[in-house]
Amino acid sequence: MAECGASGSGSSGDGLDKSITLPPDEIFRNLENAKRFAIDIGGSLTKLAYYSTVQHKVARVRSFDHTGQDAGQDHESPYEISVQEEVTARLHFVKFENSYIEACLDFVRDHLVNTETKVIHATGGGAYKFKDLIEQKLGLRVAKEDVMTCLIKGCNFVLKNIPQEAFVYQKDADPEFRFQTNHPHIFPYLLVNIGSGVSIVKVETEDRFEWIGGSSIGGGTFWGLGALLTKTQKFDELLHLASRGQHANVDMLVQDVYGGAHQTLGLSGNLIASSFGKSATTDQEFSPEDMAKSLLHMISNDIGQLACLYARLHGLDRVYFGGFFIRGHPVTMRTITYSISFFSKGEVQALFLRHEGYLGAIGAFLRGAEQDNPDQYSWGENYAGSSGLMSSSPELGPTQGAKSGTFDLLEMDRLERPLVNLPLLLDPASYVPDTVDLTDDALARKYWLSCFEEALDGVVKRAVASQPGSADAAERAEKFRHKYRDKLQTLRHQPFAYGTLTVRSLLDTREHCLNEFNFPDPYSQVKQKENGVALRGFQSVVRALDALGWEERQLALVRGLLAGNVFDWGAKAVSEVLESDPQFGFEEAKKKLEERPWLVDSYDTWLQRLKGPPHKCALIFADNSGVDVILGVFPFVRELLSRGTEVILACNSGPALNDVTYGEALLVAEHIAAMDPVVHSALREERLLLMQTGSSSPCLDLSRLDEGLAVLVRERGTDLVVIEGMGRAVHTNYRAALRCESLKLAVLKNPWLAARLGGRLFSVIFKFEVPAE
Amino acid sequence: MGAGRLRAPMERHGRAAATSASSTREPAPEEPDGRGQEPLRRRANSTSVPAAGTSAEGARRDRHGSCSGGTSVSRQRVESLRKKRPLFPWFGLDIGGTLVKLVYFEPKDITAEEEEEEVESLKSIRKYLTSNVAYGSTGIRDVHLELKDLTLCGRKGNLHFIRFPTHDMPAFIQMGRDKNFSSLHTVFCATGGGAYKFEQDFLTIGELQLCKLDELDCLIKGILYIDSVGFNGRSQCYYFENPADSEKCQKLPFDLKNPYPLLLVNIGSGVSILAVYSKDNYKRVTGTSLGGGTFFGLCCLLTGCTTFEEALEMASRGDSTKVDKLVRDIYGGDYERFGLPGWAVASSFGNMMSKEKREAVSKEDLARATLITITNNIGSIARMCALNEGYFGAVGALLELLKIP
């Protein structure tokens, strides 16, 4: 059974608490435009979902208007920037204790301005109980949705849209949480939902799932039997009791039956022969802790055993656990994990979900939003607006009983375009974008967290400077600082809060936080200026290259790519130089470069390869604006085009640091085409195509790329992938295995990382890989 | 196997003193010396069959018992023992986690000559065991199970079934010493975990060397033998037809002539599940710790009952639907999406999450719910094992077997 039935009875406080004051800024955001409400009311927690639109300021670039009075003027800048309002779609999920339900409904009603919504889709056992209250408070008709259908829909949604949603839990391991990278194919899987009872559901496709079994021994048994045995009424307190008990005082163990002989017989003496086997006596008192522990083991083992039997019978190795029995409780995750591992002899891993508590609400929402076709879009977890894992879980502690009053949030942004795998990944199922797992690597974690914290001042300054006309920029920038620092603080204590902690997730979180406070593109002017400067140098760079002999030119092109990559405002070592020395240019950057042999140097193989037949089509992921893309990448592209290779130049869809965006790249290309016949004709003949990646990250996740790009890559028979820059080629994808030739190049602009890789500041990575036949 | 079908306890009586065995130190409640009797009084009475680790998974087993001291006894040796026909008394002992099961063959074809030669200690054992139905405060002879007029190794006699709690083993060993068992030169074949646990005590206190035998080997042998001799003319194996229908439900004999492959679910303190392919080819498939010991243990905690029989008796009078949350309690009726009937248990003890409902249930209801919880769970696991092992046919029979009428 699902979570039903646990409602009220014995749970923490049936009395509705009206006295709480909600911090609206933080909790029910964007209610003004909210529509499509859904609610999932469980035994103790309510999850409210709504769809809303968010107005953002975005920086747009466009050519100067050539028809107007500006025509013919010689602009300092190659294009103009305008800040526009953009409306994006966002899903909001708020989780709170049932006792706040009335106050929350009141709040929602008071802030609901212009909604055409008439219906609220409801699921969970409490949907019956609170039906009247909801209808009366919100004036919406309650439409009941099937619990299991909602759960499965929600589960499919998070597995598809949230990378690293699922994790294995191992107590006493470091890290305790190990996140799974999402398989491209999420089906089939087994969902074991432990509510008051247990439902075991086999999910085969988006719409096809089957209840294959269940058990009446579930969370309700733990709670009900536990309450009878220990006189403790609350579920959380029972778990807390259990975590302190010794089950061997109550259970009959193998060693109790065999004496010491279990060792010689090869039996593990600590195995439970009979749960509660020692309690069959009237003259002994058993402690509530010991009984609760024994009960927890009994139930967890039983569920684990049944789950294994069902998984084996149906040939499934992915088993996800959810329901209120699990819901973020380390105690139950631990016992279930142990049980699954024991009964499957390690063949099946118990998987848990970061957003398990939201599945029902997500599903109910999706049921109600079918006309918006939410399944057709890709969605992204918004790190700025979401609470991390366990940030407000009903964790056990001595202060239990005091109402936590915490609200847990999840926000998902609807992405413009669907995201898919790069078709050239060797094995999409095992692809992990990130090179270093900071949850695993404590030393690296410590460094990077400090590094990002230290860089915060600079980012704030840059953000304020980017909006000189704005009166509240300084205030918003401070809010950003506060928010991001909080996130860093959370991650220091709970590195697992948003999945595997990586340099990428730290960078992405920062971007999300900047967007949150309307700093959509703090580097827009910097990029504009640098693009202008670099464009003016383009022709002389090309002329110099053309004057070189073939072999010399190849090396010069690569050195140009590398030197261009030095211009990275995201790297502290570089941004300091750029801030203090405005004259620092392409030639200075070349001088900074490490001399060959580079730290990683497969240039000779690359050169050999170039002597062979041309590639059919090269996919290049560009990095920074300005010198990097204009003086480094474009000459390289030009050379490839001259060889007869088609080129797809992929740039970020949205801004991140000083990375070149798709919009900027289009304008830059236009300017270059005006100067250079090779690029001009290639653009016209579509031998050079500019595409967007679908991302707004300084890093690159090849498993979430714009579908249009993926289609083009396949159509053009791409046989070379060039990934440039630290964020894309070192922090991510350094170990990515592709089915075609690949070139990963970057300049190490971080002394700590360089030292770790055995190099120094401005060491060069030049990694040319040819897949094994 | 009818676990849990033990009938109500016989009236306890300390008539030991009235028998010829009066001189023995068979513990009786009145005995002043606490050494032997104290544990007897302490504990509640009996569950059923032997304890089985939830989990000591095994590949197909080919383990033989071993006589104490580590000497391995091959099957041949046991075979030859039979041919040589061992000296009386003939005992079989299964020392489980909760209960000790003692099987005693009482020869009925004793000639006058034999009787003459019979040593006093042997005679006293025979008389003591066969003339009583209860021993001390906790030992019980299940008279209703007695197999009469059996021919065993060419001897005619009755097979007696006696049980007592495992925690009274020390008293039993002491009795063996007092009755001078060691002088009889009998082979004391024992199985169950306790054969290992108490081996040293048998040796040092009782001066008896146990012949330890593998418990699963013994279990299968025992079942096949018992079925082959029948139950005083009736079939040993039975099942319940129409178990879900209290009106039509009836107990029917089940023919075990071609039993293989079969799944054997042995419910002792814990539960062992074996897949048996032939009489000496089997493997332990799995087990669960939710067994007879769990039922009894939880009942003791929840109801304060003191004997297994009492727990069963309470369960027979209770109403589990007051304790359990049914599908209809959640969905108002059947849960059609999954084809679950409204009367199915959704959450065992689920109603006990509510304080009001906790206050409204009786001890009988709780005992009943405990029984239903444990038996349903064993049925569910057994069914899954059978499906995984690929015996559709045998499953039905097993499920029937496990159903409580």
Side-chain angles (χ1 to χ4, degrees):
Chain A
M1 297 302 98
E3 193 177 337
C4 314
S7 14
S9 49
S11 75
S12 55
D14 281 342
L16 299 176
D17 196 335
K18 296 167 201 171
S19 62
I20 54 153
T21 42
L22 302 169
D25 284 354
E26 291 295 318
I27 308 293
F28 293 99
R29 308 196 317 153
N30 304 309
L31 264 182
E32 304 78 46
N33 308 303
K35 55 175 186 171
R36 311 224 185 287
F37 283 86
I39 195 164
D40 173 13
I41 308 177
S44 53
L45 294 172
T46 296
K47 282 77 68 174
L48 185 70
Y50 55 94
Y51 171 96
S52 186
T53 48
V54 188
Q55 276 211 326
H56 277 299
K57 286 199 175 14
V58 288
R60 291 248 187 258
V61 292
R62 61 172 185 194
S63 295
F64 288 109
D65 186 356
H66 291 285
T67 58
Q69 59 188 102
D70 277 353
Q73 272 188 288
D74 189 18
H75 288 287
E76 198 46 25
S77 321
Y79 52 83
E80 64 178 334
I81 304 165
S82 62
V83 173
Q84 296 172 5
E85 292 288 338
E86 187 194 51
V87 177
T88 57
R90 188 178 287 181
L91 288 181
H92 296 73
F93 301 95
V94 186
K95 184 161 73 179
F96 48 86
E97 287 180 17
N98 284 356
S99 49
Y100 298 149
I101 194 164
E102 194 164 353
C104 288
L105 291 176
D106 280 337
F107 182 87
V108 169
R109 183 200 51 210
D110 293 346
H111 291 78
L112 207 54
V113 189
N114 40 5
T115 182
E116 308 125 41
T117 306
K118 301 268 186 291
V119 179
I120 180 165
H121 294 264
T123 186
Y128 285 115
K129 186 177 169 186
F130 291 102
K131 180 173 180 285
D132 292 342
L133 184 75
I134 297 166
E135 294 195 331
Q136 170 220 326
K137 290 280 181 194
L138 293 183
L140 300 175
R141 183 173 59 80
V142 169
K144 270 286 288 175
E145 296 293 344
D146 176 68
V147 174
M148 237 30 230
T149 308
C150 291
L151 215 53
I152 305 289
K153 261 188 145 3
C155 193
N156 292 340
F157 184 82
V158 296
L159 287 175
K160 266 190 315 187
N161 288 292
I162 305 186
Q164 303 183 341
E165 171 64 28
F167 61 89
V168 296
Y169 179 81
Q170 270 172 321
K171 181 75 184 153
D172 303 328
D174 187 21
E176 291 178 343
F177 297 80
R178 260 187 207 287
F179 295 91
Q180 310 278 298
T181 47
N182 277 14
H183 284 252
H185 308 293
I186 62 171
F187 305 109
Y189 65 85
L190 204 62
L191 178 67
V192 180
N193 192 60
I194 315 175
S196 35
V198 182
S199 283
I200 301 176
V201 184
K202 177 183 176 183
V203 186
E204 286 173 299
T205 67
E206 200 68 59
D207 303 306
R208 201 164 80 232
F209 62 88
E210 187 190 351
W211 188 88
I212 55 171
S215 168
S216 66
I217 301 181
T221 315
F222 178 70
W223 194 346
L225 198 45
L228 286 168
L229 292 172
T230 68
K231 314 294 173 219
T232 300
Q233 303 198 13
K234 290 179 189 168
F235 180 74
D236 288 355
E237 287 176 20
L238 276 168
L239 277 183
H240 189 46
L241 275 183
S243 66
R244 288 177 291 149
Q246 298 293 327
H247 75 99
N249 293 335
V250 182
D251 290 340
M252 183 184 289
L253 307 186
V254 167
Q255 66 194 17
D256 296 321
V257 180
Y258 280 86
H262 60 88
Q263 280 157 333
T264 49
L265 292 171
L267 298 172
S268 170
N270 289 324
L271 293 177
I272 304 170
S274 173
S275 293
F276 286 90
K278 279 183 191 156
S279 68
T281 173
T282 46
D283 60 7
Q284 197 182 330
E285 288 287 315
F286 295 92
S287 81
E289 287 84 355
D290 294 348
M291 288 189 289
K293 178 75 163 197
S294 172
L295 189 60
L296 177 67
H297 276 301
M298 178 180 103
I299 290 167
S300 299
N301 283 337
D302 193 52
I303 295 170
Q305 180 172 24
L306 276 171
C308 283
L309 286 166
Y310 278 102
R312 194 190 307 160
L313 189 64
H314 292 266
L316 301 168
D317 57 358
R318 265 173 289 168
V319 184
Y320 300 103
F321 284 87
F324 82 73
F325 185 69
I326 296 292
R327 201 138 304 162
H329 297 296
V331 192
T332 55
M333 288 196 288
R334 179 185 192 174
T335 51
I336 287 282
T337 298
Y338 173 83
S339 167
I340 286 285
S341 156
F342 177 83
F343 284 106
S344 74
K345 303 192 180 78
E347 279 170 25
V348 179
Q349 272 190 322
L351 293 165
F352 305 97
L353 300 169
R354 277 201 290 143
H355 298 99
E356 188 279 320
Y358 288 108
L359 301 186
I362 293 173
F365 171 81
L366 293 173
R367 291 279 295 161
E370 270 159 6
Q371 63 213 73
D372 289 338
N373 291 316
D375 278 344
Q376 285 182 359
Y377 294 93
S378 285
W379 299 79
E381 180 181 12
N382 188 306
Y383 294 135
S386 303
S387 323
L389 182 65
M390 323 239 341
S391 58
S392 65
S393 81
E395 206 23 73
L396 312 165
T399 55
Q400 272 301 311
K403 276 182 189 158
S404 60
T406 48
F407 287 75
D408 192 85
L409 307 175
L410 166 63
E411 294 185 6
M412 305 274 295
D413 287 317
R414 193 178 78 190
L415 308 177
E416 299 274 321
R417 327 260 300 243
L419 303 181
V420 296
N421 276 310
L422 177 69
L424 296 170
L425 284 177
L426 185 65
D427 176 23
S430 67
Y431 168 74
V432 178
D434 307 285
T435 308
V436 178
D437 177 347
L438 300 182
T439 31
D440 213 3
D441 187 335
L443 217 63
R445 176 169 75 236
K446 199 161 173 268
Y447 170 76
W448 286 110
L449 284 170
S450 311
C451 180
F452 277 86
E453 180 138 18
E454 282 162 23
L456 196 47
D457 273 340
V459 179
V460 168
K461 217 183 286 172
R462 171 63 52 195
V464 177
S466 73
Q467 299 183 354
S470 165
D472 66 345
E475 190 189 329
R476 281 184 286 116
E478 275 314 304
K479 282 186 182 165
F480 154 74
R481 180 207 299 274
H482 197 75
K483 182 125 199 170
Y484 189 55
R485 187 182 284 154
D486 275 359
K487 295 278 173 195
L488 291 175
Q489 203 54 31
T490 303
L491 290 167
R492 228 178 266 279
H493 297 114
Q494 290 148 303
F496 48 77
Y498 297 92
T500 303
L501 183 66
T502 59
V503 173
R504 177 169 63 109
S505 70
L506 287 169
L507 284 163
D508 288 353
T509 306
R510 190 167 71 186
E511 294 301 324
H512 291 177
C513 290
L514 280 166
N515 282 332
E516 197 56 50
F517 296 101
N518 268 318
F519 294 107
D521 194 357
Y523 289 87
S524 55
Q525 290 97 335
V526 171
K527 289 186 289 183
Q528 182 193 37
K529 184 163 157 267
E530 290 186 348
N531 283 333
V533 171
L535 279 171
R536 281 192 287 280
F538 179 77
Q539 276 172 308
S540 67
V541 166
V542 168
R543 264 197 303 274
L545 284 166
D546 286 347
L548 297 172
W550 184 84
E551 201 155 321
E552 272 178 301
R553 188 166 71 243
Q554 303 313 314
L555 181 61
L557 282 166
V558 165
R559 282 180 54 82
L561 261 178
L562 293 164
N565 197 244
V566 169
F567 292 84
D568 183 349
W569 283 87
K572 208 167 139 224
V574 175
S575 63
E576 278 165 7
V577 172
L578 294 175
E579 296 268 15
S580 61
D581 179 9
Q583 296 308 309
F584 185 85
F586 195 40
E587 293 310 315
E588 285 74 18
K590 280 184 190 161
K591 287 184 202 128
K592 289 265 185 201
L593 288 183
E594 179 187 29
E595 288 302 321
R596 286 194 67 201
W598 296 317
L599 181 58
V600 174
D601 193 339
S602 39
Y603 177 75
D604 292 338
T605 323
W606 169 244
L607 189 69
Q608 260 337 98
R609 172 63 188 87
L610 288 181
K611 287 174 183 166
H615 294 94
K616 174 150 192 346
C617 175
L619 167 65
I620 303 179
F621 289 98
D623 187 5
N624 306 307
S625 263
V627 174
D628 192 355
V629 68
I630 294 165
L631 303 184
V633 175
F634 264 98
F636 184 78
V637 167
R638 198 172 159 271
E639 179 76 14
L640 286 173
L641 290 169
S642 311
R643 281 170 57 81
T645 301
E646 294 176 344
V647 177
I648 303 168
L649 184 60
C651 305
N652 267 3
S653 298
L657 293 167
N658 67 326
D659 290 6
V660 62
T661 63
Y662 171 66
E664 289 159 356
L666 283 176
L667 295 169
V668 162
E670 202 176 293
H671 280 268
I672 291 176
M675 297 183 270
D676 185 90
V678 179
V679 171
H680 185 266
S681 60
L683 278 173
R684 203 188 49 217
E685 294 158 17
E686 296 193 336
R687 284 182 289 113
L688 169 60
L689 296 129
L690 270 63
M691 294 296 289
Q692 52 181 318
T693 57
S695 158
S696 306
S697 165
C699 295
L700 180 64
D701 179 351
L702 294 176
S703 67
R704 279 167 74 82
L705 284 181
D706 187 276
E707 197 175 29
L709 174 60
V711 168
L712 191 67
V713 161
R714 202 180 287 118
E715 276 175 6
R716 294 289 168 119
T718 304
D719 54 355
L720 172 68
V721 173
V722 181
I723 308 176
E724 187 214 3
M726 254 187 15
R728 291 175 182 76
V730 180
H731 291 317
T732 54
N733 299 309
Y734 190 67
R735 287 194 290 263
L738 299 177
R739 286 196 281 117
C740 66
E741 291 174 20
S742 65
L743 186 55
K744 295 163 188 168
L745 36 86
V747 180
L748 300 178
K749 289 151 289 189
N750 175 294
W752 185 87
L753 181 65
R756 214 172 211 236
L757 294 173
R760 54 180 179 82
L761 195 62
F762 301 115
S763 275
V764 167
I765 304 286
F766 187 94
K767 195 176 179 191
F768 175 60
E769 290 167 302
V770 181
E773 279 309 312
Chain B
M1 282 129 275
R5 315 275 332 138
L6 303 174
R7 49 174 221 175
M10 308 291 293
E11 263 219 289
R12 179 189 62 72
H13 49 115
R15 248 184 279 155
T19 71
S20 59
S22 60
S23 62
T24 67
R25 279 192 63 245
E26 155 62 19
E30 291 77 20
E31 288 266 345
D33 179 358
R35 201 215 164 283
Q37 57 182 304
E38 183 46 33
L40 291 184
R41 230 183 279 141
R42 188 188 67 205
R43 194 76 72 106
N45 208 345
S46 63
T47 58
S48 52
V49 267
T54 170
S55 41
E57 302 278 328
R60 292 194 183 195
R61 309 202 6 181
D62 196 22
R63 205 148 44 94
H64 305 298
S66 64
C67 274
S68 50
T71 2
S72 163
V73 175
S74 66
R75 268 207 184 88
Q76 287 75 12
R77 168 106 187 267
V78 179
E79 296 281 319
S80 71
L81 274 177
R82 187 182 301 157
K83 290 202 184 82
K84 273 168 66 185
R85 197 192 284 162
L87 296 170
F88 287 125
W90 294 357
F91 282 118
L93 195 60
D94 175 8
I95 312 169
T98 310
L99 209 59
V100 182
K101 280 72 60 177
L102 178 71
V103 173
Y104 170 65
F105 181 79
E106 173 204 3
K108 296 295 264 185
D109 54 359
I110 299 178
T111 57
E113 196 179 334
E114 259 183 318
E115 181 128 27
E116 194 69 19
E117 281 176 15
E118 199 175 33
V119 293
E120 195 50 39
S121 55
L122 185 56
K123 198 172 291 172
S124 91
I125 288 167
R126 181 159 53 87
K127 291 258 166 67
Y128 172 63
L129 290 176
T130 57
S131 61
N132 286 296
V133 291
Y135 315 94
S137 61
T138 58
I140 285 172
R141 180 153 63 86
D142 284 308
V143 183
H144 63 296
L145 296 177
E146 182 177 336
L147 293 176
K148 295 201 165 78
D149 302 327
L150 225 54
T151 307
L152 203 56
C153 270
R155 297 299 302 255
K156 270 194 185 323
N158 297 344
L159 206 52
H160 297 275
F161 298 87
I162 295 162
R163 60 189 156 99
F164 60 90
T166 303
H167 63 79
D168 288 335
M169 266 317 284
F172 179 79
I173 295 169
Q174 188 62 40
M175 181 185 77
R177 178 195 175 95
D178 298 342
K179 286 188 185 286
N180 210 10
F181 266 32
S182 56
S183 67
L184 294 169
H185 304 293
T186 183
V187 177
F188 227 98
C189 286
T191 186
Y196 296 90
K197 184 177 179 177
F198 295 103
E199 181 184 14
Q200 203 55 35
D201 291 349
F202 269 101
L203 197 61
T204 53
I205 300 168
E207 287 171 41
L208 281 167
Q209 283 236 322
L210 289 187
C211 175
K212 300 199 297 293
L213 295 165
D214 180 82
E215 89 182 89
L216 300 181
D217 281 339
C218 289
L219 178 64
I220 289 168
K221 260 205 178 89
I223 284 171
L224 295 175
Y225 175 75
I226 290 289
D227 186 69
S228 73
V229 299
F231 182 55
N232 301 323
R234 283 172 290 148
S235 170
Q236 281 281 358
C237 187
Y238 58 89
Y239 71 104
F240 291 97
E241 197 175 64
N242 304 315
D245 187 334
S246 55
E247 308 243 310
K248 290 191 203 149
C249 179
Q250 54 175 327
K251 184 173 156 181
L252 293 176
F254 187 83
D255 187 1
L256 263 184
K257 280 222 173 59
N258 296 303
Y260 308 112
L262 67 87
L263 204 64
L264 176 58
V265 182
N266 188 45
I267 310 174
S269 309
V271 180
S272 275
I273 299 180
L274 316 179
V276 187
Y277 306 96
S278 71
K279 75 176 170 48
D280 41 26
N281 183 9
Y282 67 89
K283 66 173 182 182
R284 185 175 189 282
V285 178
T286 189
T288 166
S289 68
L290 283 84
T294 314
F295 166 68
F296 187 32
L298 280 175
C299 276
C300 288
L301 294 171
L302 293 171
T303 71
C305 70
T306 54
T307 66
F308 189 75
E309 287 73 13
E310 190 185 350
L312 273 183
E313 196 275 327
M314 283 172 100
S316 71
R317 285 186 284 121
D319 176 3
S320 60
T321 64
K322 294 201 170 111
V323 180
D324 295 338
K325 198 180 274 291
L326 307 187
V327 167
R328 64 165 179 257
D329 296 331
I330 298 173
Y331 296 99
D334 300 346
Y335 187 33
E336 280 156 21
R337 183 75 183 74
F338 289 158
L340 291 172
W343 51 260
V345 183
S347 173
S348 295
F349 287 85
N351 279 339
M352 299 296 90
M353 292 186 278
S354 146
K355 193 165 185 286
E356 301 80 64
K357 289 183 178 160
R358 279 202 298 275
E359 282 158 3
V361 291
S362 70
K363 290 181 171 183
E364 288 77 12
D365 297 339
L366 291 171
R368 177 77 172 193
T370 310
L371 183 66
I372 299 285
T373 303
I374 303 292
T375 50
N376 273 347
N377 190 60
I378 294 171
S380 173
I381 290 173
R383 172 177 170 272
M384 286 310 294
C385 288
L387 289 175
N388 271 313
E389 293 295 320
Y391 315 122
F392 277 91
V395 186
L398 255 162
L399 282 182
E400 307 279 295
L401 196 66
L402 289 162
K403 283 266 160 57
I404 301 301

